[in-house]
């Protein structure tokens, strides 16, 4: 349900407690979370991550927090700064080393959303939709992770966010939010847009995270 990246390693917070952590992981809080040191992850291929869709939402004294999403999950972002957090999350989704394996769109009629999934998980393209889940057909919704600023039922977590903090409910975790203004989003789009008449090239700048005013930045991951 959530991931925290800290100087000591990565902690995966689970939707249901499981004490039987895999090799290299240590179960915490009665199996509510699994922790793994960075050194143990050094041999992993970044093109095949444990969690393909992980959206950073903010920082606290422990590290950087992300929400993990899978097919059919719905993450509502609510509050006055919800659009700014959604812009930041979308930029991050396009910045991972494996971003070419994730379709990120806000178009409910995007033909790739309706492409049938594959039985081979290594050949699947993950789908991430920003918008109202009600605009998707039931079949598309079942295979798509959704981030929305609409007031809808969450599959697990809801993020309540303003300029000073973001709360991961019902975990009760409060973090300093990653927010992106409309102007910053426009500037990034101008930087990464390919020149006219040329084929698109991999972007050099993909995301800018703006901490809330008057607070220090969180621990770098």
């Amino acid at each position: 349900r959530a991931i925290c990246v800290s100087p000591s390693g990565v902690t995966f917070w689970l939707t249901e407690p499981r004490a039987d952590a895999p090799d290299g992981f240590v179960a915490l809080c009665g199996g509510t979370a699994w922790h793994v040191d960075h050194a143990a992850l050094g041999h992993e291929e970044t093109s095949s991550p444990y969690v393909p869709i992980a959206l950073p939402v903010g920082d606290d004294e422990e590290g950087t927090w992300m929400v993990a999403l899978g097919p059919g999950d719905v993450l509502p972002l609510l509050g006055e700064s919800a659009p700014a957090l959604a812009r930041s999350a979308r930029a991050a989704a396009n910045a991972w080393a494996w971003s070419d394996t994730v379709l990120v769109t806000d178009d409910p009629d995007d033909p790739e959303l309706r492409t049938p999934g594959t039985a081979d998980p290594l050949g699947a393209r993950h789908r991430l939709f920003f918008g109202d889940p009600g605009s998707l057909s039931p079949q598309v919704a079942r295979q798509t992770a959704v981030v929305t600023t609409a007031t809808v039922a969450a599959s697990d977590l809801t993020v309540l966010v303003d300029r000073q903090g973001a709360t991961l409910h019902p975990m009760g975790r409060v973090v300093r939010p990653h927010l992106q203004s409309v102007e910053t989003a426009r500037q990034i789009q101008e930087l990464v847009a390919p020149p006219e008449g040329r084929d698109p090239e991999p972007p050099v700048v993909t995301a800018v995270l703006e901490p809330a005013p008057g607070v220090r930045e969180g621990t770098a991951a």
Side-chain angles (χ1 to χ4, degrees), residues 46-220:
T46 57
S47 60
S48 181
Y50 285 109
V51 183
I53 300 179
L55 304 179
V57 293
D59 304 298
D60 65 6
E61 65 281 356
E62 292 187 24
T64 297
W65 285 80
M66 294 175 276
V67 174
L69 297 177
D73 288 343
V74 177
L75 174 67
L77 307 179
L78 306 178
E80 64 180 56
S81 296
L85 182 58
R87 285 189 290 267
S88 175
R90 182 166 182 173
N94 285 311
W96 298 119
W98 57 88
S99 61
D100 58 341
T101 68
V102 180
L103 168 67
V104 181
T105 182
D106 58 7
D107 180 5
D109 296 319
D110 190 317
E112 289 196 62
L113 285 177
R114 297 190 295 273
T115 302
T118 172
D120 178 10
L122 296 179
R125 193 178 188 199
H126 310 280
R127 299 165 172 88
L128 176 60
F129 174 71
F130 284 82
D132 187 346
S135 64
L136 303 176
S137 70
Q139 179 180 358
V140 170
R142 284 192 295 270
Q143 61 185 15
T144 304
V146 175
V147 177
T148 181
T149 56
T151 305
V152 299
S155 56
D156 182 25
L157 296 179
T158 296
V159 180
L160 308 176
V161 57
D162 58 24
R163 292 292 298 174
Q164 299 301 321
T167 302
L168 278 64
H169 178 79
M171 292 182 66
R173 176 71 57 170
V174 181
V175 299
R176 295 177 292 273
H178 293 167
L179 305 177
Q180 187 178 99
S181 67
V182 173
E183 179 62 18
T184 297
R186 182 189 63 79
Q187 293 173 352
I188 292 174
Q189 183 59 36
E190 290 179 353
L191 286 172
V192 303
E196 292 186 7
R198 294 181 56 186
D199 293 333
E201 297 179 354
V204 176
V205 179
T206 53
V208 174
L209 303 179
E210 301 171 356
V215 298
R216 65 180 180 83
E217 295 186 11
T219 304

